[in-house]
Amino acid sequence: MSRLNVATVWLAGCSGCHMSFLDLDEWLLEFAELANVVYSPVASDTKVYPEGVDIALVEGGVANRDNLELILKVRARTRILVSFGDCAITANIPGMRNMLGGSEPVLRRAYLELADGSGALPQAPGLVPELLEQVLPVHQVVPVDVYLPGCPPSADRIRACLEPLLHGEWPVMEGAELIRFG
Ligand code: SF4
């Protein structure tokens, strides 16, 4: 059986979902027999998202221009896209800024109203990615194939999703143990 190309992607999230992935412990050895990790913040130094990815776990919401550019590329180059964790599925924690009504009020609150002394809005075009007006869940930007909820999803839940995919089967994500938020 040939190995599948697997990627993990970090958008606007705290990396807790990736930490939970590392909690797979000894099953990671089995995973390594079945998958080539071709792109991941925790396991590869590749900066460019490659072509021909079979499975991508995408953590985080879509919060800025860099996130947007990356998720469009991920979708175009990936066969099965998994919305990995509550931030990817609902925008969750990064989405709390949506209550302020847009990027400008968020920046004003953080850099002017709450700043000590003379704050200034960040200005670094090309270096600091511009915030989107709202943080969006992944499925509002590109089609998603599998939803893997949790904040973070437990290692057991990640395995229940990933193991069938690696064997060419569709995961059955149902019941409180596999689809509960939080
Ligand atoms: S779902 Fe929870 S653990 Fe995962 S990135 Fe968001 S806040 Fe972090």
Side-chain angles (χ1 to χ4, degrees):
M1 185 175 174
S2 59
R3 293 178 183 205
L4 299 187
N5 290 334
V6 175
T8 77
V9 177
W10 185 15
L11 302 179
C14 74
S15 88
C17 293
H18 274 85
M19 294 302 106
S20 197
F21 182 85
L22 296 179
D23 282 343
L24 283 161
D25 295 336
E26 66 270 17
W27 188 74
L28 288 173
L29 298 175
E30 205 174 309
F31 171 74
E33 296 287 319
L34 299 168
N36 295 316
V37 179
V38 293
Y39 180 96
S40 173
V42 294
S44 114
D45 218 14
T46 310
K47 299 288 184 278
V48 178
Y49 193 84
E51 302 274 359
V53 175
D54 293 298
I55 303 165
L57 300 179
V58 179
E59 173 193 311
V62 182
N64 62 40
R65 292 275 159 210
D66 278 7
N67 295 160
L68 183 58
E69 199 177 301
L70 179 54
I71 195 61
L72 293 174
K73 195 174 288 180
V74 168
R75 182 65 279 183
R77 297 180 176 181
T78 306
R79 197 160 53 85
I80 300 170
L81 192 157
V82 180
S83 203
F84 179 31
D86 292 354
C87 291
I89 296 174
T90 69
N92 196 32
I93 305 295
M96 290 173 75
R97 79 160 164 88
N98 293 346
M99 289 184 285
L100 288 180
S103 61
E104 212 263 341
V106 172
L107 292 171
R108 293 188 69 80
R109 183 76 181 143
Y111 288 93
L112 301 181
E113 294 166 21
L114 299 178
D116 294 332
S118 56
L121 294 180
Q123 297 284 347
L127 289 177
V128 179
E130 189 187 334
L131 294 184
L132 301 181
E133 285 302 299
Q134 298 277 297
V135 182
L136 301 170
V138 172
H139 68 271
Q140 283 192 12
V141 183
V142 295
V144 163
D145 301 300
V146 181
Y147 293 89
L148 176 52
C151 182
S154 67
D156 287 346
R157 198 180 294 179
I158 296 169
R159 179 174 172 178
C161 174
L162 203 47
E163 195 166 25
L165 291 175
L166 290 169
H167 287 97
E169 295 158 13
W170 212 248
V172 180
M173 304 299 291
E174 53 185 42
E177 278 313 305
L178 294 184
I179 57 172
R180 190 167 45 206
F181 287 104

